[in-house]
Amino acid sequence: TARMVFQGRYMFVVSTGGNALDSFDISNPLSTPARLATRATGAGPFGIAIQSKFVYVISNTDSLLEIYDISNPSSIPAKLNAAGTVSSPRGIAVLGRYAYIATGNNLSIWDVNDPTTPTQVVLFPLSMLTSEGVTVRGDYVFITGTNSDQVQIVDVSVKASPVSLGVVSTAFNTGSGAPGSPRYIQARRNNLFVGNIGGTAVNQFVIYDLRGFSIPGLRAGGVDTDSLEVEGSATIDNSLIVKGGSTLN
């Protein structure tokens, strides 16, 4: 579960103990980051996600989804909404108009297209007892389970009717003793990174190859990739910059 996110020269951090959202200027990585603004959040902010000019914070103690406008990072973020979620949310990921929240043994999907009035689309039961971290890649959501040593994969191509594709063992505990507690998870390019915080393999991580997963649709503020192949058509609102060369058929 992310506790900090980045956008350009800025970093946004939630403080679980301090119940705060802080913004920092990190344009000079060799100097101490300059704190620009601090905003009080709900009790126990446990996860944070960022998309475009909005930051999404889940508060574990207050069971809230809070959305902030960060269009001016140097000023105090404006709170747009604080919606009550299901009990004790612990992880959040946002893609397009939807937010995916790991809470208890459920995946809660929210429509955040209007940040002032987010609405829950579905509460989907998971096979794990305590969901923790969550990340999304295209139509697939990956959720870690504390003390379960697993990652569950959910197809969310139909948001109101998710389908579980099964679980993958992280194998953090290959012997006797407490099971692993994979918490941190992030999909990056063709890989899935999972970090563990408990059991006999504390402070370890595994990497999975995701090249077998396709992305039937993509809506993004930016794309960082080694190569891009589009079947069908692509619409670009502003400009397209290609370095190296391009082939158009």
Side-chain angles (χ1 to χ4, degrees), residues 39-109:
R39 174 70 192 238
T41 66
F46 213 81
I48 183 173
I50 190 170
Q51 181 173 256
S52 185
K53 65 177 183 177
F54 302 110
V55 159
Y56 306 80
V57 176
I58 49 170
S59 297
N60 180 265
T61 304
D62 285 346
S63 297
L64 291 176
L65 165 62
E66 299 173 301
I67 304 177
Y68 297 89
D69 186 334
I70 56 162
S71 53
N72 184 358
S74 61
S75 65
I76 297 175
K79 183 186 290 187
L80 301 178
N81 194 282
T85 68
V86 287
S87 179
S88 303
R90 299 183 68 85
I92 183 172
V94 177
L95 180 64
R97 65 181 292 166
Y98 296 100
Y100 303 88
I101 301 174
T103 173
N105 60 342
N106 298 290
L107 171 65
S108 180
I109 302 179

Side-chain angles (χ1 to χ4, degrees), residues 77-176:
K79 183 186 290 187
L80 301 178
N81 194 282
T85 68
V86 287
S87 179
S88 303
R90 299 183 68 85
I92 183 172
V94 177
L95 180 64
R97 65 181 292 166
Y98 296 100
Y100 303 88
I101 301 174
T103 173
N105 60 342
N106 298 290
L107 171 65
S108 180
I109 302 179
W110 287 70
D111 187 332
V112 293
N113 191 52
D114 182 352
T116 63
T117 56
T119 56
Q120 182 173 264
V121 177
V122 69
L123 183 64
F124 180 70
L126 301 171
S127 61
M128 55 190 62
L129 293 177
T130 304
S131 58
E132 186 75 39
V134 58
T135 189
V136 57
R137 185 178 187 269
D139 284 333
Y140 303 100
V141 173
F142 304 83
I143 309 107
T144 56
T146 302
N147 297 321
S148 68
D149 229 349
Q150 293 178 338
V151 173
Q152 185 163 352
I153 306 169
V154 180
D155 183 335
V156 294
S157 53
V158 180
K159 301 298 183 285
S161 301
V163 176
S164 176
L165 301 181
V167 297
V168 176
S169 173
T170 53
F172 284 121
N173 177 20
T174 57
S176 60

